[in-house]
């Protein structure tokens, strides 16, 4: 008896097997809250219970960046977004939000949920940009803004920019997206003309980043890798107060007037979490 006793089984009424759909929705939602967004989306496809549980606001409240209210209130300006659930707001931010006349975009990195900001060349202050002897704006599908600034030739290269935005706390990288050579399409194929590329191997380009509280980064490097887009890392800055408007100034210069330089495409400036920035630099596009 005791430990050796067996529990009788009614062969006419065998015990029921639990299925995934039998798990209480609240329990499923609690489990999902510990997962990353890509994993949540995958599990939501299992059945109705998981799909319903995946829409719980408390799950996505923790996935949204701390500045999402700032984004909704200051950039979206739409009652439609104010009525959305947290999951739909997250999905909208992953698809990117355009502002400043379409010359700036923000989005959440789909894999990490990191907050990213991109600034078009049209939102930068470029010396000589209005003189077609030096610069031209060229339409292209290789830019998220569908346009780039192309440098024919110049003695004095100076590109400046600044922005003010509310960022979640963390460390961010600022990068220029550049290419040596002018891309065209020939018979449907990508062709990059590098005949006009010159002057970048004589003296390095200087990149700078500054903040009002004294963060200052300077980097000098030669521009290389003709015919391919590359991200050039300017520097990193730290955001400690997520409620503070962070003001950043940055620049790219090559002002040695002993020689001309040309054949450069300036697409945009990217600001993103430092771990995301490393991936962009490594991938190069």
């Amino acid at each position: 008896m005791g430990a050796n006793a067996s529990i009788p089984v009614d062969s006419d009424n065998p015990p029921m097997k639990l299925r995934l759909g039998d798990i209480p929705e609240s329990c499923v939602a609690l489990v999902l809250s510990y997962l990353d967004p890509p994993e949540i989306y995958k599990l939501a496809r299992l059945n109705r219970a998981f799909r319903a549980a995946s829409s719980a606001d408390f799950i996505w409240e923790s996935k949204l960046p701390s500045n999402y209210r700032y984004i909704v209130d200051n950039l979206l300006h739409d009652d439609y977004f104010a009525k959305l659930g947290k999951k739909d707001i997250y999905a909208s931010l992953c698809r990117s939000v355009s502002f400043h006349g379409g010359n700036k975009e923000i989005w959440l990195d789909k894999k990490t949920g990191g907050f990213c900001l991109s600034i078009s060349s049209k939102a930068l202050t470029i010396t000589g940009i209005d003189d077609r002897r030096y610069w031209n704006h060229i339409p292209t599908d290789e830019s998220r803004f569908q346009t780039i600034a192309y440098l024919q030739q110049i003695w004095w290269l100076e590109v400046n920019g600044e922005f003010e935005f509310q960022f979640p706390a963390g460390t961010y990288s600022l990068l220029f997206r550049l290419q040596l050579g002018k891309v065209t399409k020939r018979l449907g194929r990508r062709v990059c003309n590098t005949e006009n590329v010159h002057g970048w191997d004589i003296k390095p380009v200087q990149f700078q980043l500054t903040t009002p509280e004294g963060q200052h980064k300077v980097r000098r490097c030669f521009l290389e890798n003709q015919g391919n887009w590359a991200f050039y890392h300017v520097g990193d800055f730290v955001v400690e107060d997520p409620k503070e408007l962070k003001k950043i100034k940055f620049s790219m210069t090559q002002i040695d007037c002993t020689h001309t330089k040309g054949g450069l495409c300036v697409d945009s400036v990217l600001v993103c979490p430092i771990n995301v920035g490393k991936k962009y630099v490594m991938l190069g596009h």
Side-chain angles (χ1 to χ4, degrees):
M1 300 298 289
N4 295 320
S6 60
I7 300 175
V9 176
D10 187 345
S11 59
D12 295 328
N13 297 287
M16 295 180 61
K17 292 183 179 180
L18 287 176
R19 297 172 300 175
L20 282 175
D22 297 324
I23 303 175
E25 187 176 306
S26 58
C27 293
V28 175
L30 184 60
V31 172
L32 294 180
S33 67
Y34 289 95
L35 303 179
D36 293 328
E39 297 171 318
I40 297 174
Y41 281 116
K42 287 181 181 178
L43 290 176
R45 294 197 291 265
L46 285 176
N47 55 44
R48 291 181 180 180
F50 274 70
R51 185 163 58 251
S54 70
S55 297
D57 271 356
F58 81 88
I59 294 177
W60 297 97
E61 183 78 37
S62 62
K63 313 302 178 188
L64 285 166
S66 60
N67 64 339
Y68 86 91
R69 286 302 333 169
Y70 171 84
I71 296 171
V72 172
D73 295 340
N74 293 277
L75 301 185
L76 301 180
H77 301 300
D78 196 326
D79 291 339
Y80 167 75
F81 287 96
K83 297 175 183 177
L84 289 179
K86 300 296 190 296
K87 179 182 179 181
D88 292 327
I89 293 176
Y90 185 92
S92 296
L93 293 180
C94 285
R95 289 192 292 269
S96 81
V97 175
S98 177
F99 65 105
H100 196 233
N103 291 324
K104 295 179 181 178
E105 286 189 6
I106 58 170
W107 70 94
L108 299 182
D109 181 73
K110 292 182 179 179
K111 292 185 178 180
T112 66
F115 178 81
C116 303
L117 164 69
S118 187
I119 304 170
S120 167
S121 60
K122 284 194 171 183
L124 304 177
T125 302
I126 303 176
T127 300
I129 191 64
D130 296 323
D131 192 329
R132 291 199 172 185
R133 292 176 300 172
Y134 306 127
W135 291 90
N136 285 294
H137 285 294
I138 300 176
T140 175
D141 59 4
E142 295 192 355
S143 168
R144 67 168 49 245
F145 298 103
Q146 302 300 306
T147 183
I148 59 168
Y150 177 69
L151 174 63
Q152 304 272 11
Q153 178 173 287
I154 205 166
W155 292 89
W156 181 289
L157 173 74
E158 186 172 9
V159 180
N160 295 294
E162 62 179 88
F163 61 86
E164 190 174 53
F165 209 84
Q166 190 180 95
F167 288 87
T171 302
Y172 293 82
S173 294
L174 188 144
L175 310 99
F176 271 86
R177 186 172 187 255
L178 310 171
Q179 177 181 261
L180 293 178
K182 184 179 180 181
V183 172
T184 59
K185 290 289 182 67
R186 187 177 301 166
L187 300 177
R189 298 180 62 184
R190 183 183 192 271
V191 178
C192 189
N193 185 345
T194 59
E195 292 180 0
N196 198 38
V197 175
H198 68 282
W200 307 109
D201 56 347
I202 300 174
K203 291 288 181 67
V205 169
Q206 176 170 287
F207 298 97
Q208 288 196 75
L209 177 156
T210 58
T211 69
E213 63 271 18
Q215 298 185 62
H216 183 213
K217 306 292 182 181
V218 179
R219 180 172 180 247
R220 298 176 181 87
C221 70
F222 290 95
L223 302 188
E224 302 173 323
N225 196 16
Q226 295 186 20
N228 297 293
W229 288 105
F231 283 95
Y232 290 85
H233 181 226
V234 178
D236 305 324
F237 63 92
V238 178
V239 176
E240 295 180 346
D241 184 358
K243 296 182 180 179
E244 174 190 7
L245 283 173
K246 193 75 171 179
K247 188 172 184 178
I248 305 291
K249 291 185 177 181
F250 55 89
S251 65
M252 175 179 68
T253 57
Q254 215 291 15
I255 54 178
D256 183 336
C257 293
T258 61
H259 66 284
T260 63
K261 36 263 173 188
L264 174 67
C265 291
V266 179
D267 172 35
S268 58
V269 168
L270 172 66
V271 180
C272 60
I274 187 171
N275 60 322
V276 177
K278 289 179 180 178
K279 294 179 182 178
Y280 275 110
V281 171
M282 186 170 59
L283 293 174
H285 58 273

